[in-house]
Structure formats: structure tokens, C-alpha cells
Amino acid sequence: MIYILLSISCSVTVAVLLKLAKRYNIHVLQAVMWNYLAAIILSYIFFRPELAQLVSVPTTLAIAIGVLLPVLFLILGASVRNIGIVKSDIAQRLSLFIPILASLYLFGENFGGLKVAGLVVGFVAIVFTLSRKSSVKAETSSLVYPILVFIGFGLIDVMFKKLALDKSIPYTSTLMVIFCISFIIAALTLGYVVIVRKKKVELINFFCGMVLGSFNFGNILFYMKAHRAMASNPSTVFAAMNMGVIILGSIIGIILFKEKVSKLNYIGIAMALVAILLITLSQKYAV
């Protein structure tokens, strides 16, 4: 579980940094592009992948993840602008349905009573924790954004799991290739923004992106390690990661950003803790 805890910590730190970006007028797209450069540099420093390994990565899967990572960022941003952060966050968290179904039907995991109970409590916790009023009124045509968020985040969880199961080459080599692809996609997108929309590239965004990339690198790395360590129980990783981000994110939101939290939200946070406990116990007791 240590890898899950480390991944949760890095994931919430990334969310906090992105939230602070608006306060300090950081251009998020520029920061995201440099974030992938930081991930590439860290991958090389810590793993020293050989060229032969880099050219032997599972091409289709690496390209799919590499393209989807920055594209999902753009989709999430569009969703927040069109329907608000609350509904977008709900769509992202409820995407847990997709990897859980994949655990059952694609990865052949057996679900005991404790795990089923934990997942049910967990899904209710997601709804309760994210149950907040949104001031953004969405048009019917805008509903495509949360749908894409739901599908996109669900699929990328499943693809990372498949990548973790591939023992043909070190997954660290594949991660470096993925980060390179994501950097290229983000750079092309930023190039369009700079040339067409006349947005200036600023040094502050580079420094912020490097810090962001360090935590994003840790988030993905520890997430992959968790899947490797708990290869026969992917649903545990999916659910514990999701619930943990909700709990820690909510605590930091309350303390650091003074976010208003309702009684229903507090019940949801408590239920998320119960869900993690049940799912953890299911690892020890096959009930």
C-alpha cells in the first residue's frame, strides 16, 4: 500500500499546484508542456534506459497513452469552462466504473464480499463527497465534455494497468517514451497557441512546469509500481487510489483553500475511509 500512498500524495500535490497556477497567473498549458520535459529528464536520470529498450516498447499502447495524457488535460479544461469544476470532478471520479469493470472482465479478478461492499460504499462516497452546487449552467451540447472526461480517465487507468502487466521490457523505459510523446503533443498544441493566439512563452511557466513534472512523474511511477506489486488485485489499486485522492484532496481543500464543505461531504469523506478499510481487509480475508 506504500506505493498507493506515495502516488496519492503526488497526485494531490499536482492538483494543488494546478489550482495555485490560476492565482499566480501561470499559463497552465505551458507548465504542462514543461512538466513532461521534467518527467523525461527524471526518467533518464533514475532509470538510464538503453536505446534497445526504448525502440522495443509496446508501440500501440505507448502512443495511445502518450497522446491521451495531454489531450485529457485539454478536455478536462474545456469541461471545467463549459460545465464547471464540480460536475467535471464528478465525471473524473466516477470514471472508476470503467477500470473496475475491466478488473472483473478483462483482468479476471475475483471479487469477494468485502471488496464488493467496499466498492459500493466507495461509489456512494464519491457522490456524497463531490455533491456541491455548481454556479455554471451547462447547455445540453456541453454534456459531451463530462462524457469524454468519464471515458478518457477510465481508459487511461486501464491502459496503465496493461502496461504494468507487460513484462517484456522494463516499464520505466516505456514511461520515458510515453513522456516524450506527450511532450511532443503538448509542444504542438502550445505552438498553435503561440503562433495563432499570440501567447508569449514565459520563463516562470518553465520553472513551474519543472516542479509540476517532478510530482507528476512520482504520481505515475508509484501508480505503476502499485499495479506491479498488486498485480492480481487491480481493483484495489484503482479504488484505493481514487478514494485516497478524494480524502486527502478534501482535507487540503478545507485547510489550505478554506473550501466550504457540507455535512453530506463530510459523510462522503468518512465513507471513503470505510471503503478503503473494507478493500484493504479484502486483501487479507478472501470473504
Side-chain angles (χ1 to χ4, degrees), residues 203-228:
L203 190 60
I204 184 63
N205 297 313
F206 168 77
F207 291 117
C208 292
M210 298 303 279
V211 174
L212 181 69
S214 300
F215 287 102
N216 196 27
F217 170 78
N219 173 30
I220 295 175
L221 175 65
F222 293 128
Y223 186 63
M224 295 289 293
K225 284 182 174 290
H227 274 302
R228 278 287 178 96

Side-chain angles (χ1 to χ4, degrees), residues 274-287:
V274 173
I276 290 178
L277 178 61
L278 289 172
I279 292 168
T280 303
L281 288 174
S282 72
Q283 297 294 104
K284 188 175 181 180
Y285 305 104
V287 180

Side-chain angles (χ1 to χ4, degrees), residues 86-279:
V86 174
K87 293 177 181 177
S88 299
D89 206 13
I90 291 172
Q92 183 180 347
R93 296 304 165 202
L94 289 180
S95 67
L96 179 62
F97 272 112
I98 295 175
I100 292 300
L101 289 174
S103 298
L104 185 61
Y105 296 108
L106 183 61
F107 301 119
E109 182 182 353
N110 294 319
F111 283 31
L114 277 175
K115 181 164 289 187
V116 171
L119 292 173
V120 171
V121 172
F123 280 120
V124 176
I126 291 173
V127 176
F128 281 11
T129 307
L130 300 174
S131 179
R132 298 172 189 173
K133 292 182 180 180
S134 177
S135 59
V136 180
K137 292 184 178 180
E139 297 179 3
T140 305
S141 59
S142 298
L143 294 179
V144 66
Y145 295 111
I147 292 173
L148 290 175
V149 168
F150 174 83
I151 295 172
F153 277 93
L155 286 179
I156 206 153
D157 273 348
V158 175
M159 286 191 283
F160 270 125
K161 172 60 182 177
K162 285 184 67 69
L163 183 62
L165 291 176
D166 191 333
K167 302 294 179 66
S168 59
I169 64 168
Y171 66 87
T172 50
S173 299
T174 310
L175 279 180
M176 186 168 180
V177 173
I178 288 171
F179 292 139
C180 288
I181 295 170
S182 295
F183 177 74
I184 292 170
I185 298 298
L188 290 173
T189 306
L190 180 59
Y192 167 80
V193 172
V194 170
I195 295 171
V196 177
R197 299 186 181 180
K198 309 300 181 182
K199 181 68 181 179
K200 292 182 179 179
V201 176
E202 298 174 324
L203 190 60
I204 184 63
N205 297 313
F206 168 77
F207 291 117
C208 292
M210 298 303 279
V211 174
L212 181 69
S214 300
F215 287 102
N216 196 27
F217 170 78
N219 173 30
I220 295 175
L221 175 65
F222 293 128
Y223 186 63
M224 295 289 293
K225 284 182 174 290
H227 274 302
R228 278 287 178 96
M230 307 172 75
S232 60
N233 291 282
S235 66
T236 298
V237 180
F238 293 135
M241 180 70 187
N242 218 290
M243 296 299 106
V245 168
I246 287 174
I247 293 169
L248 184 57
S250 297
I251 292 171
I252 290 188
I254 294 167
I255 297 173
L256 189 61
F257 297 105
K258 309 300 180 184
E259 294 182 357
K260 294 181 179 179
V261 180
S262 67
K263 290 181 180 179
L264 193 62
N265 298 151
Y266 280 117
I267 293 172
I269 295 171
M271 290 182 70
L273 282 169
V274 173
I276 290 178
L277 178 61
L278 289 172
I279 292 168

Side-chain angles (χ1 to χ4, degrees), residues 44-67:
Y44 180 77
I45 291 173
F46 285 103
F47 308 127
R48 300 282 179 176
E50 298 177 3
L51 182 60
Q53 294 175 342
L54 295 178
V55 298
S56 302
V57 301
T59 308
T60 303
L61 190 58
I63 292 175
I65 297 175
V67 171

